[in-house]
Amino acid sequence: AAGVLGAFTAIARQGGLPCGRPLHCVLCLAENGIGPAMMLQDDILTAYSGLTVEINNTDAEGRLVLSDGVAHVAKHLDCDLVVDMATLTGAQGISTGTHHGMILATDEELEKDAVAAGRRSGDMVHPGIFAPELLIHEYDSDFADMRNSVKNRSNAQSSCAGLFIHKHLVHSGYTGRWLHIDMAYPVHEPLGNFATGWGVGLLTTLLDDLSTKVAPPQSNL
């Protein structure tokens, strides 16, 4: 959330996107705590997308909040591109290492643009596996629409986590482009216990690059 807010602030301070299109920032924030309303193992929750989710891993809570965030975007904001970014999985470090974030994209051009923006900004990324037809079964549940954690932890965990978000997004009616960024390790690992600020440069560079490819909004006269 800090990286997303940092990028949004930087773009706003420079006057917005060069193409003049609106830019929205939705922060998906939650505080882990113990209380009478906490979720428990085997609970079944109804997400904002309308999908029911069986809790089979209480430590996979971030994706629940993030899924509600993208569902909100799909239902209430008119967007051509949705980008979510989070420190989502420990498996990201296994997938792409400590210096590269992992990305999923709904089209190859967007994937290439993200990789190029990473190289230009220094916030490097590498593609994961965007194959819902092969991976989404990892969330099959006998009691709900899906589980919140995979059945097989050896089957592209970080890609599966991103596809959990994607399923809630499309179930909410979204048909546009989507980019997922898992930044779990680059945000701190290169500097040990200190935050690196990773992600701000990536998002500002990517959105600036993409902005040059779209037409400015038309005014009604």
Side-chain angles (χ1 to χ4, degrees):
V4 172
L5 180 60
F8 181 79
T9 302
I11 293 172
R13 287 180 175 176
Q14 71 178 15
L17 295 173
C19 66
R21 295 288 185 91
L23 179 66
H24 304 280
C25 177
V26 177
L27 300 179
C28 306
L29 305 173
E31 180 179 2
N32 286 340
I34 298 174
M38 65 184 178
M39 67 179 181
L40 300 172
Q41 196 80 356
D42 300 326
D43 278 353
I44 295 179
L45 310 179
T46 301
Y48 191 60
S49 66
L51 291 170
T52 54
V53 181
E54 174 193 355
I55 304 300
N56 68 314
N57 183 349
T58 55
D59 192 40
E61 81 293 348
R63 66 194 62 183
L64 301 173
V65 181
L66 194 55
S67 294
D68 280 355
V70 298
H72 172 86
V73 171
K75 293 181 179 185
H76 301 291
L77 301 175
D78 183 18
C79 296
D80 298 319
L81 169 66
V82 173
V83 180
D84 71 77
M85 186 168 74
T87 55
L88 198 59
T89 67
Q92 176 273 306
I94 298 171
S95 298
T96 58
T98 59
H99 290 80
H100 290 72
M102 189 216 70
I103 60 169
L104 298 180
T106 48
D107 64 82
E108 188 175 1
E109 182 180 2
L110 179 57
E111 180 182 280
K112 290 180 178 179
D113 286 338
V115 171
R119 289 173 177 166
R120 286 184 57 205
S121 65
D123 292 346
M124 298 176 291
V125 296
H126 190 80
I129 304 169
F130 181 76
E133 70 280 8
L134 299 178
L135 297 175
I136 203 66
H137 71 88
E138 289 291 346
Y139 294 108
D140 286 352
S141 167
D142 293 330
F143 307 103
D145 292 318
M146 60 192 311
R147 300 178 175 191
N148 77 317
S149 188
V150 294
K151 293 181 289 184
N152 182 359
R153 299 177 70 84
S154 299
N155 190 15
Q157 266 198 81
S158 50
S159 294
C160 287
L163 292 174
F164 182 94
I165 310 302
H166 180 256
K167 181 163 184 174
H168 287 264
L169 178 65
V170 297
H171 190 78
S172 300
Y174 183 74
T175 58
R177 308 174 84 195
W178 171 74
L179 177 69
H180 166 72
I181 306 168
D182 192 337
M183 58 193 296
Y185 275 76
V187 296
H188 68 86
E189 187 65 27
L191 295 180
N193 294 325
F194 299 96
T196 62
W198 194 98
V200 176
L202 172 65
L203 287 183
T204 52
T205 302
L206 175 63
L207 293 175
D208 186 68
D209 290 346
L210 294 177
S211 185
T212 64
K213 298 182 178 183
V214 300
Q218 296 181 348
S219 59
N220 295 321
L221 300 178

